[in-house]
């Protein structure tokens, strides 16, 4: 089916994932692994730095591959079913048979990969590229903002967008709106719509691409030169690219920004939109991204996921009594301080966060690639230095035993947790807290009456006025938010988007 074996190598902080599609294995070639220094057939060793970039390597399909990782756990997915093989020695390293997908995560910051290869050049790319060499002359974001995002807070930067861009983008959005380029989001689900929730009461969006892909997509939507003010939109896109680069470094999320991406690829990894709220419009509480396993059959098939949400407002002199505030539900400062900077919110080792324990102090992550082939919930705990061991973080498994994540929404994780942590667990996405997602496939459709559009009784509420020039940034997985009803007489206009990072693993069919 495929011309060659394609290895997609994704190096991240303590995460490497590899998918292998197609190819055949022959016993003679797999034995090459043990023969070092033998010309073309030599096994090659590579130091993989925690900051290595994604690399695509094409292998000759007729040559078998065996890959062995020191200090690493890896798991083999064969014919799209999870078959797990862990190898701690070269001999029991899995052969890659066709079609197979190999996924592994390194448990230390450095791993040595050995592979039998016909050409060393093919896999030289695995070697590390240190992103620390990227520097920007005038930072668009400060370390304190990075820290806020890491801790699960909301970074707010007033007067961030230069005033000439505020005015040309606002005019651009108005022009595009008037010529019919905005569409209602349907964020409010169909049940609500059928109950007289008019289009005007919904958020309306101008988004990149009309569903196209590849080249078509990279010159459509936001980048479509034949509509509105493309000069303004490109200037803004470039500014956002610099911001993305700074976030990638600051948050240690290497795949947020990859130098070698072609323009086309880059544009597909960054959603940029304008959005438009008429008076009376509002948006219910929701999260911008969810764990793949919670998204049903399609969850594992997307190459990227939303990582950081950004909003830039374009409304001059917006007043509080005009409504339309962005209402966020971050943890309290006290909750953030409880565990210091133990774990960055959102994702750990590629596993997305699904909740909190200990009164919101510790993020809980869902690992779907356990040796059992099932899933487990865990938190990170700090371990102090002991003899022979450096201080650092360790996983503490919180589930009673490995489990299969239920396929039907709403999914509740509490029943799988150890009794002693069950009571302190709060799930991020529940049918109450995230009705649009978690309630979407439930048998009793939501009615607009049953949705609390303000959630005023939450313990920590952060309202942000949509004032021209303000930039807002937060983690896309862990921060619930809503937009309060626009109560004034004018429209609320903003640019909104999502920086993507690579998915942990992509199921290719
Ligand atoms: C793949 O490798 C085989 C065996 O070494 C060789 O005969 C063949 O020409 C190679 N194919 C390509 C496309 O390089
Ligand atoms: C539907 O919406 C219209 C306009 O907002 C309103 O006049 C009407 O009373 C609504 N009907 C119902 C059944 O709520
Ligand atoms: C750009 O917008 C115009 C007007 O809507 C449309 O006809 C054209 O197909 C768009 N171009 C692309 C590449 O989407
Ligand atoms: C388009 O945007 C650019 C950049 O902000 C600005 O200089 C220019 O005047 C705008 N053009 C129009 C027609 O508004």
């Amino acid at each position: 089916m495929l011309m060659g074996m394609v290895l997609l190598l994704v190096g991240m902080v303590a995460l490497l994932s590899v998918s292998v599609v197609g190819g055949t294995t022959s016993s003679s070639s797999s034995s090459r692994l043990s023969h070092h220094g033998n010309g073309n057939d030599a096994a090659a060793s590579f130091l993989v730095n925690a900051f290595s970039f994604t690399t695509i390597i094409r292998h000759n399909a007729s040559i078998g591959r065996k890959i062995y990782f020191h200090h690493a756990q890896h798991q083999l997915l064969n014919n799209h079913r999870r078959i797990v093989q862990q190898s701690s020695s070269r001999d029991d390293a899995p052969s890659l048979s066709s079609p197979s997908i190999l996924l592994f995560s390194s448990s230390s910051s450095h791993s040595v990969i050995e592979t039998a290869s016909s050409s060393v050049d093919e896999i030289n790319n695995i070697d590390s590229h240190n992103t620390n060499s990227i520097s920007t002359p005038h930072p668009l974001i400060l370390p304190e903002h990075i820290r806020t995002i890491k801790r699960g807070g909301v970074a707010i930067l007033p007067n961030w967008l230069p005033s000439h861009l505020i005015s040309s983008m606002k005019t651009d959005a108005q022009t595009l709106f008037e010529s019919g380029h905005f569409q209602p989001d349907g964020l409010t689900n169909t049940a609500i719509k059928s109950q007289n929730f008019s289009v005007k009461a919904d958020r309306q969006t101008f988004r990149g691409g009309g569903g196209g892909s590849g080249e078509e997509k990279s010159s459509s939507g936001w980048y479509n030169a034949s509509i509105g003010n493309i000069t303004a939109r490109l200037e803004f896109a470039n500014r956002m690219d610099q911001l993305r680069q700074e976030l990638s470094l600051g948050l240690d999320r290497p795949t947020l920004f990859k130098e070698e991406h072609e323009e086309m690829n880059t544009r597909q990894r960054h959603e940029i939109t304008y959005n438009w709220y008429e008076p009376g419009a509002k948006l219910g509480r929701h999260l911008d991204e969810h764990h793949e396993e919670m998204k049903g059959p399609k969850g594992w098939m997307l190459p990227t996921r939303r990582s950081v949400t950004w909003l830039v407002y374009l409304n001059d002199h917006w007043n509080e009594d005009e409504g339309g505030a962005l209402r966020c539900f971050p943890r309290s400062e006290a909750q953030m301080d409880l565990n210091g900077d133990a774990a960055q919110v959102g994702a750990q080792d590629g596993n997305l966060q699904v909740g909190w324990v200990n009164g919101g102090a510790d993020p809980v992550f869902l690992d779907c690639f356990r040796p059992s082939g099932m899933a487990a919930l865990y938190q990170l705990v700090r371990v102090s230095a002991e003899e022979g061991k450096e201080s650092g973080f360790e996983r503490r498994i919180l589930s009673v035993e490995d489990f299969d994540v239920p396929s039907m929404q709403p999914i509740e994780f509490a029943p799988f947790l150890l009794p002693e942590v069950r009571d302190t667990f709060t799930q991020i996405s529940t049918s109450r807290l995230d009705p649009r997602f978690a309630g979407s496939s439930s048998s009793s459709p939501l009615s607009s009456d049953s949705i609390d559009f303000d959630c005023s009784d939450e313990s920590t509420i952060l309202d942000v006025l949509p004032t021209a020039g303000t930039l807002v940034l937060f983690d896309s997985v862990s921060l619930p938010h809503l937009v309060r009803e626009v109560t004034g007489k004018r429209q609320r206009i903003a640019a909104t988007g999502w920086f993507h990072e690579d998915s942990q693993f992509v199921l290719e069919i």
Side-chain angles (χ1 to χ4, degrees):
M1 176 185 84
L2 289 164
M3 288 291 289
M5 186 187 278
V6 178
L7 278 183
L8 177 66
L9 275 153
V10 184
M12 296 165 71
V13 180
L15 168 83
L16 291 166
S17 68
V18 175
S19 63
V20 178
V21 180
T24 54
T25 304
S26 74
S27 56
S28 66
S29 58
S30 54
S31 67
R32 280 178 191 146
L33 192 66
S34 51
H35 302 298
H36 286 245
N38 192 9
N40 234 15
D41 291 345
S45 299
F46 300 94
L47 256 195
V48 178
N49 189 285
F51 290 96
S52 49
F53 288 118
T54 294
T55 313
I56 296 173
I57 301 141
R58 284 167 205 291
H59 282 296
N60 183 332
S62 68
I63 298 174
R65 292 283 176 270
K66 258 198 155 192
I67 300 185
Y68 161 67
F69 309 94
H70 298 276
H71 317 301
Q73 251 198 0
H74 60 269
Q75 303 163 11
L76 186 66
L77 281 93
N78 217 344
N79 297 327
H80 314 309
R81 288 184 54 220
R82 263 178 227 145
I83 298 169
V84 176
Q85 292 185 24
Q86 285 195 58
S87 71
S88 51
S89 75
R90 181 172 299 155
D91 292 339
D92 63 5
S95 294
L96 305 181
S97 59
S98 163
S100 61
I101 295 164
L102 181 73
L103 183 107
F104 63 96
S105 65
S106 71
S107 50
S108 62
S109 59
H110 286 79
S111 293
V112 174
I113 296 181
E114 287 182 31
T115 173
S117 166
S118 62
S119 159
V120 170
D121 287 345
E122 287 176 45
I123 44 180
N124 267 342
N125 293 331
I126 300 174
D127 214 348
S128 61
H129 301 260
N130 199 334
T131 56
N132 292 325
S133 59
I134 299 170
S135 64
T136 49
H138 303 291
L140 294 175
I141 186 170
L142 298 172
E144 73 203 53
H145 303 127
I146 298 278
R147 180 160 184 266
T148 300
I149 300 166
K150 273 187 182 173
R151 284 156 56 94
V154 182
I156 305 168
L157 293 80
N159 304 313
W160 183 82
L161 193 68
S163 55
H164 78 274
L165 264 186
I166 296 175
S167 81
S168 35
M169 286 173 68
K170 190 173 159 208
T171 308
D172 184 37
Q174 282 163 335
T175 308
L176 294 170
F177 189 85
E178 280 154 21
S179 41
H181 290 292
F182 278 65
Q183 260 139 29
D185 267 328
L187 279 177
T188 43
N189 68 32
T190 46
I192 297 176
K193 268 202 192 126
S194 68
Q195 290 167 32
N196 207 14
F197 198 91
S198 76
V199 163
K200 273 197 149 190
D202 199 357
R203 177 173 80 174
Q204 300 180 66
T205 301
F206 170 76
R207 49 175 84 252
S213 60
E215 254 166 77
E216 187 193 331
K217 184 161 181 176
S218 66
S219 59
S220 65
W222 193 264
Y223 303 98
N224 187 335
S226 59
I227 50 177
N229 187 342
I230 187 64
T231 313
R233 291 201 303 277
L234 282 182
E235 187 182 337
F236 181 71
N238 287 338
R239 189 175 173 85
M240 297 315 281
D241 261 359
Q242 187 190 326
L243 175 65
R244 189 153 61 97
Q245 187 168 345
E246 291 177 28
L247 285 168
S248 173
L249 281 174
L251 295 171
D252 281 354
R253 299 187 185 184
T255 70
L256 259 188
F257 187 89
K258 298 196 283 186
E259 262 182 320
E260 76 273 26
H261 279 150
E262 293 162 24
E263 187 169 76
M264 188 180 97
N265 189 0
T266 297
R267 287 179 178 181
Q268 287 172 40
R269 296 170 54 90
H270 178 196
E271 296 171 73
I272 314 187
T273 73
Y274 282 130
N275 54 63
W276 186 282
Y277 291 74
E278 288 288 325
K282 60 193 169 189
L283 184 62
R285 178 174 178 147
H286 66 281
L287 288 146
D288 288 347
E289 187 53 285
H290 298 88
H291 196 292
E292 295 89 339
E293 193 73 10
M294 297 178 78
K295 293 198 278 192
K298 284 192 175 151
W300 293 105
M301 291 166 68
L302 300 169
T304 64
R305 65 169 184 87
R306 290 174 176 178
S307 175
V308 179
T309 299
W310 59 260
L311 306 107
V312 175
Y313 296 110
L314 304 171
N315 315 290
D316 298 310
H317 312 294
W318 191 265
N319 291 314
E320 207 175 323
D321 56 14
E322 293 181 90
L326 169 74
R327 174 162 284 185
C328 304
F329 305 95
R331 294 183 295 163
S332 66
E333 284 292 328
Q335 285 170 318
M336 293 185 196
D337 286 340
L338 270 174
N339 202 4
D341 291 338
Q344 185 174 148
V345 304
Q348 197 275 327
D349 217 4
N351 299 312
L352 299 202
Q353 186 185 345
V354 297
W356 306 93
V357 279
N358 303 332
D362 301 308
V364 175
F365 305 96
L366 175 67
D367 178 0
C368 289
F369 296 97
R370 296 274 295 161
S372 63
M374 292 186 283
L377 295 157
Y378 70 93
Q379 70 174 103
L380 283 193
V381 291
R382 193 184 283 279
V383 287
S384 48
E386 283 171 37
E387 49 176 8
K389 261 177 99 179
E390 285 176 38
S391 70
F393 296 103
E394 223 164 58
R395 286 185 187 192
R396 178 187 168 214
I397 301 292
L398 302 175
S399 31
V400 177
E401 56 186 359
D402 289 2
F403 60 97
D404 277 323
V405 175
S407 57
M408 290 290 287
Q409 292 283 1
I411 296 166
E412 284 183 30
F413 289 111
F416 300 109
L417 290 168
L418 295 164
E420 62 266 32
V421 292
R422 202 174 293 157
D423 289 345
T424 82
F425 177 74
T426 39
Q427 194 167 314
I428 306 176
S429 195
T430 66
S431 47
R432 184 183 74 82
L433 301 178
D434 188 15
R436 187 162 56 86
F437 176 77
S440 56
S441 63
S442 83
S443 51
S444 52
L446 299 157
S447 75
S448 50
D449 296 342
S450 69
I451 294 183
D452 176 357
F453 276 96
D454 285 325
C455 302
S456 302
D457 56 353
E458 290 297 314
S459 53
T460 313
I461 289 177
L462 178 66
D463 280 354
V464 185
L465 273 194
T467 307
T470 299
L471 167 71
V472 178
L473 293 164
F474 51 80
D475 177 79
S476 301
V477 174
S478 60
L479 199 114
H481 55 281
L482 57 81
V483 176
R484 302 191 73 197
E485 182 172 339
V486 175
T487 49
K489 291 189 164 59
R490 56 176 175 156
Q491 295 89 6
R492 175 191 190 275
I493 307 170
T496 306
W498 301 270
F499 296 130
H500 282 222
E501 58 181 308
D502 287 352
S503 297
Q504 180 183 23
F505 155 75
V506 187
L507 187 57
E508 299 186 40
I509 293 188

